[in-house]
């Protein structure tokens, strides 16, 4: 009887620890429902942007990426952004894909314009700038230095 009680107690401890890990994982994953209004932004190349990526203005998080689709006519990536209701952006706002660093992820950076008209929910940002492929830039730099270093003799 003593052995069954110990096994039951150990099982209960394992379940409590597993529940604590689930709560910790849920809170760390930031899976809260996005609230706010949606706008869309078309890009030719989105790099490492994915669902859940941040949308920032001046480095401050104002929303998140909630959907990625491909326009079948233009073959451009359509990024759906859900923005906090507290922030309204002008219709000439630009959206660009920025990197957090060489090893960091990508996010959408919004730069508000000066127009008096605001983007309404469901509308699209007209001005976008695609992601920069750092590997491609480094390759171009390396090969341009190599060509410049050999004095043009090959």
């Amino acid at each position: 009887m003593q052995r069954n009680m110990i096994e039951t107690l150990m099982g209960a401890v394992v379940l409590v620890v597993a529940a604590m890990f689930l709560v910790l994982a849920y809170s760390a994953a930031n899976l809260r429902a996005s609230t706010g209004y949606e706008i869309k932004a078309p890009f030719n190349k989105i790099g490492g942007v994915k669902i859940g990526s941040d949308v920032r203005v001046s480095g401050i998080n104002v929303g998140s990426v909630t959907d990625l689709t491909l326009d079948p006519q233009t073959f451009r990536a359509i990024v759906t952004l859900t923005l906090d209701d507290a922030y309204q952006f002008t219709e000439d706002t630009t959206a660009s894909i920025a990197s957090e660093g060489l090893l960091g992820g990508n996010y959408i950076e919004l730069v508000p314009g000066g127009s008096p008209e605001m983007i309404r929910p469901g509308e699209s940002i007209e001005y976008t700038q695609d992601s920069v492929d750092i590997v491609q830039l480094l390759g171009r730099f390396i090969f341009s230095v190599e060509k410049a270093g050999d004095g043009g003799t090959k």
Side-chain angles (χ1 to χ4, degrees):
M1 197 67 159
Q2 179 75 9
R3 185 172 176 194
N4 286 343
M5 182 59 106
I6 292 173
E7 288 176 356
T8 303
L9 186 60
M10 288 302 292
V13 169
V14 168
L15 288 176
V16 167
V17 170
M20 288 174 33
F21 276 118
L22 285 174
V23 168
L24 179 67
Y26 180 76
S27 63
N30 197 14
L31 296 175
R32 292 181 292 280
S34 296
T35 59
Y37 63 99
E38 287 187 350
I39 60 173
K40 297 186 184 301
F43 290 95
N44 291 321
K45 182 172 47 172
I46 61 171
V49 171
K50 53 189 172 276
I51 294 174
S53 294
D54 288 346
V55 177
R56 300 179 188 171
V57 175
S58 301
I60 306 297
N61 191 356
V62 296
S64 64
V65 174
T66 54
D67 192 28
L68 302 171
T69 58
L70 185 65
D71 184 335
Q73 277 83 32
T74 63
F75 296 104
R76 294 183 77 189
I78 306 299
V79 179
T80 302
L81 313 173
T82 299
L83 304 176
D84 192 330
D85 287 325
Y87 306 105
Q88 298 296 316
F89 296 96
T90 59
E91 67 181 3
D92 59 348
T93 295
T94 61
S96 61
I97 297 177
S99 176
E100 293 180 357
L102 285 175
L103 300 176
N106 289 349
Y107 63 93
I108 306 289
E109 177 73 27
L110 297 181
V111 179
S115 173
E117 298 296 321
M118 298 295 166
I119 296 176
R120 290 187 294 278
E123 290 186 339
S124 291
I125 292 178
E126 187 174 342
Y127 308 107
T128 60
Q129 181 178 348
D130 300 335
S131 68
V132 176
D133 187 355
I134 294 178
V135 173
Q136 188 177 25
L137 283 177
L138 285 173
R140 286 182 184 172
F141 174 74
I142 289 169
F143 289 120
S144 70
V145 169
E146 183 180 291
K147 286 181 183 178
D150 66 13
T153 60
K154 268 209 165 178

